[in-house]
Amino acid sequence: MRILYLLLAVLFVVLQGVAGQPYIPRPIDTCRLRNGICFPGICRRPYYWIGTCNSGLGSCCARGWRS
């Protein structure tokens, strides 16, 4: 029964390789989804804070409104 599970796992990896998909997908960059830029530390003008970056070390900043 263990062999069956192992073969199933190998088949899954092979099928993903044939489809051209990576086995371990990259995490989604939520800052880019919000049209932001990651800055170390705090946001400076003309940017304002909209969240934290995936690494947790930076601030996700977006450009302010133009007048």
Side-chain angles (χ1 to χ4, degrees), residues 17-40:
V18 169
Q21 298 294 322
Y23 180 64
I24 301 173
R26 295 183 302 167
I28 297 172
D29 189 3
T30 55
C31 189
R32 290 236 184 231
L33 288 177
R34 290 182 263 175
N35 293 327
I37 303 171
C38 285
F39 284 114

Side-chain angles (χ1 to χ4, degrees), residues 17-63:
V18 169
Q21 298 294 322
Y23 180 64
I24 301 173
R26 295 183 302 167
I28 297 172
D29 189 3
T30 55
C31 189
R32 290 236 184 231
L33 288 177
R34 290 182 263 175
N35 293 327
I37 303 171
C38 285
F39 284 114
I42 62 172
C43 303
R44 307 272 186 214
R45 286 189 181 193
Y47 296 95
Y48 62 95
W49 185 84
I50 58 173
T52 56
C53 296
N54 285 347
S55 63
L57 297 176
S59 297
C60 184
C61 306
R63 195 161 178 95

